[in-house]
Amino acid sequence: MSIPVTSLPSGERIPVFGLGTWMMGEIEKKRSDEVAALKLGLDLGATLIDTAEMYGDGEAEEIVGEAIAGRREGLFLVSKVLPEHASRKDTVTACERSLKRMRTDRIDLYLLHWRGSTPLEHTLDAFIQLQREGKIRYWGVSNFDTDDMEELLALPGGDACATNQVLYNLKRRRIEYDLVPFCRSHRIPVMAYSPIEQGRLLGAGALKEIAERHSASTAQVALAWLLGQPGTIVIPKATHPDHVRDNFGALELKLTKDDLLVLDRAFPPPDRKYALEML
Ligand SMILES: NC(=O)c1ccc[n+]([C@@H]2O[C@H](COP(=O)([O-])OP(=O)(O)OC[C@H]3O[C@@H](n4cnc5c(N)ncnc54)[C@H](OP(=O)(O)O)[C@@H]3O)[C@@H](O)[C@H]2O)c1
């Protein structure tokens, strides 16, 4: 299946749909199913995988390494450095550990997982060094609110930030007030994490109503709504093969104006600024 693309600030096109990996690598007996789920996602046409050194304490990156073995070309790997590793020196060594676990020589997009106490300039220096060494292609951030983004973009080289990965789904629309417009105005894609609120969104009445109209699943409606937001990338995580397949169906679901009105009524957009929420 061909997946629509959006542009990074550099102009490079990346897919608007990828595979999440949080909670993978935490339970040994689920490991082979998790590798199989990622492989199935790749077989179905996904090329973007989101992971982090934090997930399963490195095990999720190992699982990614196993799933992509022999098929690294053409993939777009996203991983993240923990804030406690975000110093100039530790960012570089954390990245090298991630590369080893994923058995690759480069990460396509390397994110600061959330903001900690390390000055942003230090992490930025490390990202630039890693880029120079060819170990990462792009860098970005995660869980950054508008004021964090403003501070980052004001730093020398800060305007190369390629993504802000944040909690975004129908239940979590507060960022539409200022963060989403800010990112859009700087052509920085928003990567929507927990796009189905880890499953908690799926029983909502409005989603059921629209899913019925389209003979779709509620997960597909939730994902299709996000895919309709310009410059937004979704990264649902699924281990069950039926869920993996189901999520791809969202790429073919076109919501109507009336569907969008129903969703706006059930999940109203914000009318003022709220602090960024995180999971
Ligand atoms: N940057 C950050 O701070 C941050 C935070 C959270 C997440 N993330 C990233 O975003 C990714 C996605 O977020 P998430 O994992 O928190 O939550 P999610 O993708 O919203 O939901 C995952 C859960 O939903 C289930 N599921 C998936 N597809 C389904 C379907 N079609 N029908 C029914 N259930 C379905 C999965 O079950 P099965 O696994 O059993 O199939 C899993 O329990 C993460 O994996 C991670 O890569 C980043």
Side-chain angles (χ1 to χ4, degrees):
M1 182 182 291
S2 91
I3 296 176
V5 291
T6 189
S7 293
L8 293 175
S10 71
E12 180 168 332
R13 305 279 180 115
I14 64 163
V16 294
F17 176 97
L19 309 171
T21 63
W22 192 20
M23 316 272 186
M24 289 192 178
E26 293 185 358
I27 299 168
E28 180 55 33
K29 70 172 197 268
K30 285 190 170 176
R31 188 191 167 89
S32 57
D33 288 346
E34 291 165 349
V35 173
L38 292 180
K39 283 185 170 173
L40 174 61
L42 298 179
D43 291 344
L44 291 172
T47 54
L48 186 151
I49 301 180
D50 177 75
T51 190
E53 62 166 338
M54 185 187 94
Y55 302 163
D57 210 10
E59 272 303 309
E61 290 182 325
E62 296 271 1
I63 285 169
V64 171
E66 214 170 309
I68 65 169
R71 59 199 301 186
R72 171 69 179 90
E73 285 316 306
L75 299 186
F76 193 91
L77 297 184
V78 184
S79 193
K80 312 182 196 83
V81 58
L82 281 166
E84 60 260 40
H85 296 157
S87 69
R88 287 191 179 97
K89 187 165 155 282
D90 292 352
T91 301
V92 172
T93 49
C95 178
E96 286 165 350
R97 285 195 299 270
S98 292
L99 289 171
K100 213 166 169 186
R101 285 192 287 257
M102 291 191 280
R103 302 178 224 165
T104 184
D105 61 350
R106 65 201 183 279
I107 290 169
D108 296 280
L109 176 59
Y110 198 40
L111 309 179
L112 172 59
H113 209 146
W114 63 89
R115 196 170 175 181
S117 54
T118 306
L120 288 177
E121 300 89 304
H122 296 192
T123 312
L124 203 53
D125 284 348
F127 283 159
I128 291 165
Q129 180 188 331
L130 286 166
Q131 254 178 336
R132 250 196 332 260
E133 293 171 352
K135 291 174 181 159
I136 67 172
R137 296 180 57 237
Y138 298 102
W139 62 266
V141 293
S142 177
N143 298 301
F144 267 43
D145 207 342
T146 313
D147 52 349
D148 301 310
M149 290 302 286
E150 280 166 348
E151 208 180 313
L152 176 68
L153 266 59
L155 295 173
D159 58 355
C161 174
T163 286
N164 187 11
Q165 184 180 113
V166 285
L167 176 61
Y168 188 24
N169 63 46
L170 275 164
K171 264 191 172 171
R172 310 280 193 163
R173 296 185 64 175
R174 291 173 168 186
I175 60 169
E176 288 177 13
Y177 191 76
D178 64 344
L179 183 59
V180 170
F182 180 91
C183 291
R184 245 173 234 165
S185 70
H186 289 85
R187 298 177 188 280
I188 297 173
V190 168
M191 202 175 278
Y193 75 67
S194 307
I196 57 170
E197 188 75 9
Q198 300 183 324
R200 293 183 293 274
L201 196 47
L202 303 182
L207 286 180
K208 284 186 182 163
E209 180 187 330
I210 295 164
E212 244 166 62
R213 285 184 196 170
H214 293 275
S215 305
S217 70
T218 52
Q220 288 171 344
V221 176
L223 294 172
W225 177 81
L226 273 172
L227 289 166
Q229 311 303 315
T232 304
I233 299 161
V234 297
I235 46 169
K237 175 261 180 185
T239 299
H240 197 291
D242 291 348
H243 293 164
V244 177
R245 288 195 187 88
D246 190 52
N247 293 343
F248 274 83
L251 293 161
E252 286 169 319
L253 175 59
K254 295 283 164 274
L255 298 177
T256 64
K257 274 189 186 155
D258 188 47
D259 296 334
L260 296 175
L261 281 175
V262 171
L263 291 173
D264 277 342
R265 266 199 302 274
F267 305 99
D271 56 5
R272 67 173 177 88
K273 166 73 184 165
Y274 293 88
L276 177 66
E277 300 171 285
M278 280 176 74
L279 278 188

